[in-house]
Amino acid sequence: MATAISPGSANSGNSNNRTRVINALEIAGLSKSFGGARALDGVSFSLRPGEVHGLLGQNGSGKSTLIKVLSGYHAPDPGGSLSLFGQPVPLPLLPGQSKQLGIAFVHQNLGLVPSLSVLENLRVGAFAEGRGLLINWRAERRTARELFARFGLALDPDATVANLPPLERALLAIVRAFADLRHADSGGILVLDEPTPFLPRRDVERLFALVRGVVREGASVILVSHDIDEVMEITNRATVLRDGHVAGTVETARTAREDLLELIVGRRIEAHRRAAGGGVPTHRGEAGGIRLSGLTGGGVTGIDLACRAGEIVGLTGLIGSGYAALPYLLYDPPRGVAGELLIGDPAAGGHRVAISRLGPGAAQALGIALLPGDRLGAAGVGDLSITDNITLPMLHEFLAPYGLRRRQMAQTAGRLGAALELRPNRPALPLEALSGGNQQKVLLAKWLHTKPRLLLLDEPTQGVDFGARQQIFAALDAAARAGTAILCASTDYEQLAQICDRVLVFRGGRIAAELAGDALSKTAIAHACMAAPDEPLAA
Amino acid sequence: MATIDSAVGTTPAAGAARSRKIAWKTELERFGLPLAWLLQIAAFGLAGPPEFMSWPNFASMFGSQAVLVVLTLAMLIPLTAGDFDLSLASTMTMASMSTAMLGQHGAPVSAIIPIALLLGAVIGGVNAAFILYFRIHSLIVTIGVSTAVNGILLWMSDSQTISGVPDDLVNWVVVERLFGIPLSFYYALLVALAMWYFLEFTTIGRRLLFVGRGREVARLNGIRVERMRGGGLIAAGMIAAFAGVLYSGTTGSADPQSGLQLMLPAFAAAFLGATSIVPGRFNPFGAVVAVYFLVTGISGLTMLGAQSYVQNLFYGGALVIAVALSQLVRNRRPQNFS
């Protein structure tokens, strides 16, 4: 599978050894399985001291699994090896061990406590270790100022993190990780896991300046990213993962953008296997569809789109590109979002509403349903029964003069469950007792029963096994055939290619490309997502 | 909730084959508290004086503790919606004080009760306004309101117990009896029945449950979360006010300090009740059983010669143990009352 245009990292590692450079980090033959699925398959990876090494790949390619093995969160399958600065380290790593070994992580959520000060956040790791009982705040403040000054940062140690702009928070998190590394004698390894998606271009420059500063101080950096251009800009080398394999490791300066993209996406030609009935959009339902115009705010700008009744339209893009916000903006918009939604044909019982007037209740009244991605945090309540969860939007159907018909509620829940082959189909079970896929079936069945005009989905099959996934697709297909317009936000390109009639690719909060018909394939979506920005960079 | 431990992922057939065994376990969990109550009665009957096992003793206990039952039931509504209302005991006292004072001025029962209920609704409304508009945690607001109401009570009554409750009310609460038990007990049972029906068989009751278990889920399902919470606090205030009317009817007077002694027992009973009948859920019949379980324990211990300190010890201990038990039922997941 990993036939690549450049040799794998194991080879380049060997050549390094010949030139007597001891790699900061050397991984060989690392695998990790989840159940039957191999998230990492014989991955080898090397990080030279003082380099910035990009780790690229699509969602599900194994990037985050690799990082989580390094942080000690996942235990890898037996057989792999890890060495740091020439010293073999036994796997699996214990949680917390990586820090002692001189590896520090900055994750996308940054791990800062917003209500505390910059200084407190900076030192939280040191406080956790609990060396010494008393804190000399004056000395801490002085040390922090010196540290910031070294990197040319103008951070006030006493500022509250919540008041900092996003860039400064990211910078603080990176400086903190670096400070945690300083007692590692070998300069340490800094792992930056997608630090940039929510930063504007100018801020990315400043963040990269800090990364270069950190490298000058002796650290080696692994930068995990989706964004080819950023990786091209800052890294010395880059390793591309695809489907759990190393697709290749390249010297960034000597590699063309297209070649890197090729490595990420792969050359595999996909068979067309569109869900039955989903391929040809039906025109009969023009009147039942939706038309969105001028949606601006909440991370997107000037979005115009239409979705006919019976059509499934995919929304995708890189993290931070705005596609993920769209389902929520049409259902539960925050203040200040402008735009207009036309639902149905105004001449025949349709409605024209300002987005700002929508809210969960108003949206439902218009026949809009949202299935959020956060299954047990926003979509359903885990410790309530399947019956309770599934009947919530249709309680009025069970209302008799003497109260709710509880038995009928349970029967309906059982019937809806059976239709989606829920396993086990016992309506009295709490929702959380089901597997992720079955939970999703319950939550989907709940909304499909209301026969929505517009169904909004956010990552509908995340963490859902293959079988349940097919059943969910079939249910969506059936809903579409019954006239529901479906907008599905996802980064699962394969899924989008399988179920969607059209896919809209977002970049920088706008729709950058539309794929439909023969042009719609997993590879094409990936290409469109990672294509070069069509606007010149603001230097 | 009841089947939380049942086999997951087994085929339906295997599940059905096991269901008999599982049912035993859940039934024991559901009826553990009533069973413990009966055992407790038997133990005190054997160890205690003969008058413990007499019907008049039980009848008077059932009647006199009806106030606590109604107060506990009042707490269930905000608890179901995920709010703590610590002011309900003060609301109760306020209602009983106004009952006594209006009675002194010769007001008829038919006027007193609506006024008392209205007062309860007003205090609930004040709580709701602060909790929902300013988004303050319910604990903080209701502790503050509770203390303020107490202050008003002491001022109103000059810190004295006020008598003057209309005879009609006393007659209809404790003097009239059915099977030897004062009518107040049946009023409390009626409130429990109404609340059970409300929580289980109305759409509002269902929505209230979702509001308490998952605010965000409820909101995204189009439930008007704030309206539900506010309504819950107001309804709780009215039920607590009804408890106050019963209190005046039971004692024939109003004591400005009485509420303080009932707040903790009511909480203990609400949480203990949530481990029973419908385990893992605040439920009215569980609460009723819990009240009488606690009260029987205290009355039995007192008859055995325990001093009055046993009351605090028992109620306080029961609250902590009850919450610990209900956490075990919930598999020790962190509770998220916000």
Side-chain angles (χ1 to χ4, degrees):
Chain A
M1 289 296 284
T3 46
I5 52 169
S6 82
S9 63
N11 292 341
S12 50
N14 289 340
S15 67
N16 285 342
N17 286 343
R18 276 200 294 278
T19 54
R20 294 200 317 109
V21 177
I22 297 170
N23 280 331
L25 177 131
E26 180 91 49
I27 289 171
L30 191 75
S31 298
K32 170 71 190 169
S33 312
F34 294 103
R38 285 214 134 178
L40 290 177
D41 195 354
V43 166
S44 297
F45 176 83
S46 67
L47 176 68
R48 294 176 191 158
E51 83 167 333
V52 180
H53 195 126
L55 191 57
L56 278 160
Q58 299 183 49
N59 271 1
S61 60
K63 284 178 310 191
S64 29
T65 312
L66 180 59
I67 296 307
K68 283 174 178 167
V69 167
L70 279 181
S71 68
Y73 184 84
H74 286 321
D77 300 345
S81 72
L82 167 69
S83 66
L84 290 169
F85 306 102
Q87 301 291 317
V89 179
L91 289 167
L93 296 176
L94 306 170
Q97 193 189 352
S98 52
K99 189 171 166 188
Q100 292 162 15
L101 293 171
I103 311 177
F105 296 84
V106 176
H107 294 291
Q108 194 177 17
N109 67 17
L110 303 181
L112 300 172
V113 183
S115 58
L116 295 183
S117 74
V118 166
L119 185 55
E120 282 162 327
N121 271 289
L122 185 66
R123 299 300 290 152
V124 67
F127 297 155
E129 281 168 19
R131 282 195 224 112
L133 195 61
L134 300 175
I135 300 167
N136 181 346
W137 282 111
R138 193 179 303 193
E140 296 280 357
R141 198 169 279 123
R142 197 172 51 234
T143 321
R145 285 222 175 83
E146 284 166 15
L147 182 66
F148 295 151
R150 242 163 88 195
F151 294 110
L153 303 178
L155 284 172
D156 173 9
D158 294 314
T160 305
V161 167
N163 298 336
L164 297 182
L167 169 69
E168 294 192 358
R169 288 185 220 178
L171 296 178
L172 172 61
I174 294 173
V175 170
R176 176 175 72 178
F178 174 76
D180 287 346
L181 285 180
R182 274 199 300 180
H183 56 83
D185 17 288
S186 42
I189 297 165
L190 186 60
V191 180
L192 303 177
D193 188 359
E194 299 271 8
T196 57
F198 300 106
L199 295 179
R201 186 64 219 165
R202 254 184 39 189
D203 290 356
V204 172
E205 301 288 341
R206 287 186 55 193
L207 189 136
F208 283 173
L210 175 62
V211 171
R212 292 190 186 103
V214 166
V215 169
R216 269 198 302 278
E217 298 276 339
S220 318
V221 176
I222 298 174
L223 175 73
V224 182
S225 181
H226 274 94
D227 193 312
I228 298 177
D229 298 288
E230 288 178 11
V231 169
M232 299 279 290
E233 181 180 340
I234 184 136
T235 62
N236 306 98
R237 293 192 300 155
T239 294
V240 176
L241 291 180
R242 195 196 315 142
D243 301 328
H245 299 268
V246 173
T249 298
V250 298
E251 302 272 341
T252 327
R254 283 194 246 144
T255 309
R257 190 180 193 287
E258 289 68 37
D259 295 337
L260 208 46
L261 181 56
E262 197 73 57
L263 273 182
I264 295 171
V265 177
R267 277 176 193 269
R268 199 149 50 101
I269 295 164
E270 290 169 89
H272 280 282
R273 49 194 158 73
R274 311 286 302 286
V280 187
T282 47
H283 293 275
R284 58 181 156 74
E286 191 73 43
I290 62 125
R291 182 173 294 278
L292 175 67
S293 45
L295 179 68
T296 297
V300 299
T301 318
I303 300 291
D304 297 312
L305 67 85
C307 183
R308 285 185 299 271
E311 195 178 27
I312 305 182
V313 174
L315 310 168
T316 192
L318 297 182
I319 303 175
S321 62
Y323 76 94
L326 202 79
Y328 300 92
L329 293 180
L330 296 189
Y331 187 82
D332 181 29
R335 261 164 219 250
V337 175
E340 194 184 60
L341 180 68
L342 177 64
I343 185 157
D345 180 1
H351 299 271
R352 189 185 292 276
V353 278
I355 296 293
S356 57
R357 305 194 54 172
L358 287 173
Q364 268 185 55
L366 289 169
I368 304 176
L370 167 73
L371 184 54
D374 181 1
R375 223 164 277 151
L376 293 183
V381 175
D383 60 7
L384 293 180
S385 71
I386 295 172
T387 305
D388 286 338
N389 274 292
I390 217 168
T391 54
L392 185 60
M394 44 180 121
L395 282 174
H396 57 274
E397 288 178 22
F398 304 104
L399 206 53
Y402 51 84
L404 287 171
R405 287 183 290 240
R406 298 297 298 270
R407 183 177 302 196
Q408 200 188 337
M409 284 166 70
Q411 281 166 355
T412 303
R415 193 165 49 73
L416 292 177
L420 276 171
E421 295 177 49
L422 198 64
R423 253 169 249 152
N425 188 16
R426 281 193 282 153
L429 277 182
L431 184 64
E432 65 197 354
L434 299 176
S435 68
N438 282 299
Q439 285 173 13
Q440 192 72 332
K441 287 187 208 166
V442 169
L443 298 167
L444 182 63
K446 167 177 106 169
W447 287 123
L448 289 183
H449 184 77
T450 66
K451 305 230 182 316
R453 285 173 144 178
L454 171 63
L455 177 62
L456 303 164
L457 304 170
D458 178 19
E459 295 292 358
T461 58
Q462 202 166 49
V464 170
D465 61 273
F466 184 79
R469 193 176 273 239
Q470 306 314 313
Q471 287 157 347
I472 288 171
F473 291 166
L476 291 177
D477 220 48
R481 264 183 273 121
T484 298
I486 300 178
L487 290 178
C488 173
S490 175
T491 52
D492 184 336
Y493 305 146
E494 191 165 359
Q495 158 187 310
L496 290 174
Q498 194 179 345
I499 65 171
C500 293
D501 299 304
R502 282 186 295 142
V503 170
L504 305 175
V505 180
F506 282 62
R507 206 177 301 137
R510 296 171 186 274
I511 296 175
E514 175 172 337
L515 302 167
D518 289 342
L520 181 55
S521 69
K522 178 184 170 185
T523 319
I525 298 171
H527 270 283
C529 286
M530 284 176 254
D534 30 18
E535 292 165 2
L537 296 181
Chain B
M1 285 311 296
T3 45
I4 198 161
D5 292 321
S6 56
V8 174
T10 53
T11 63
R18 280 200 211 172
S19 62
R20 186 173 296 266
K21 195 173 135 200
I22 292 161
W24 272 111
K25 194 184 162 198
T26 37
E27 292 307 297
L28 189 68
E29 197 176 306
R30 291 185 62 189
F31 295 105
L33 187 65
L35 210 66
W37 184 34
L38 293 178
L39 287 176
Q40 195 187 35
I41 291 173
F44 284 125
L46 290 175
E51 55 266 34
F52 178 84
M53 281 305 262
S54 66
W55 182 242
N57 177 42
F58 281 105
S60 90
M61 195 170 75
F62 281 138
S64 65
Q65 299 303 328
V67 173
L68 182 55
V69 172
V70 176
L71 185 62
T72 306
L73 291 171
M75 285 191 176
L76 293 188
I77 296 182
L79 284 175
T80 300
D83 286 310
F84 283 96
D85 191 343
L86 296 173
S87 69
L88 290 174
S90 297
T91 306
M92 184 204 92
T93 316
M94 176 57 90
S96 85
M97 185 60 70
S98 17
T99 303
M101 293 181 105
L102 288 169
Q104 270 185 335
H105 290 89
V109 177
S110 57
I112 289 174
I113 293 180
I115 292 173
L117 295 186
L118 185 69
L119 267 174
V122 167
I123 299 174
V126 170
N127 282 328
F130 280 96
I131 293 170
L132 300 175
Y133 183 78
F134 295 102
R135 303 199 176 153
I136 314 173
H137 195 290
S138 55
L139 266 178
I140 301 167
V141 171
T142 56
I143 284 182
V145 167
S146 169
T147 310
V149 169
N150 259 325
I152 298 172
L153 276 169
L154 292 174
W155 172 58
M156 275 168 68
S157 63
D158 210 7
S159 305
Q160 303 295 310
T161 298
I162 306 287
S163 55
V165 174
D167 289 341
D168 282 357
L169 186 63
V170 178
N171 284 339
W172 282 103
V173 172
V174 282
V175 178
E176 297 288 334
R177 287 167 186 246
L178 185 64
F179 306 119
I181 306 175
L183 288 183
S184 59
F185 173 69
Y186 301 99
Y187 299 148
L189 279 192
L190 278 178
V191 174
L193 197 71
M195 197 174 287
W196 169 74
Y197 179 81
F198 167 76
L199 288 176
E200 292 295 312
F201 291 93
T202 66
T203 52
I204 300 179
R206 295 279 94 187
R207 289 192 207 122
L208 201 68
L209 188 62
F210 272 86
V211 167
R213 292 306 178 88
R215 292 259 158 86
E216 187 61 10
V217 175
R219 200 180 64 78
L220 286 177
N221 274 283
I223 296 173
R224 295 184 194 179
V225 171
E226 313 228 309
R227 191 181 285 195
M228 297 297 300
R229 291 173 70 189
L233 288 163
I234 291 171
M238 293 177 76
I239 298 170
F242 180 65
V245 173
L246 286 186
Y247 181 91
S248 303
T250 307
T251 60
S253 63
D255 170 3
Q257 307 282 3
S258 58
L260 295 175
Q261 295 147 23
L262 287 179
M263 189 179 83
L264 192 81
F267 256 95
F271 277 93
L272 189 57
T275 63
S276 170
I277 313 293
V278 191
R281 215 174 265 192
F282 293 106
N283 69 90
F285 292 117
V288 172
V289 175
V291 167
Y292 287 112
F293 171 83
L294 293 172
V295 166
T296 308
I298 285 163
S299 125
L301 289 172
T302 314
M303 281 194 179
L304 285 175
Q307 305 293 312
S308 58
Y309 66 77
V310 77
Q311 196 157 328
N312 285 342
L313 187 68
F314 202 78
Y315 281 135
L319 174 61
V320 175
I321 291 169
V323 176
L325 282 178
S326 68
Q327 276 300 87
L328 281 184
V329 171
R330 289 166 48 95
N331 286 339
R332 293 201 301 147
R333 244 163 332 156
Q335 295 191 335
N336 183 18
F337 299 102
S338 55

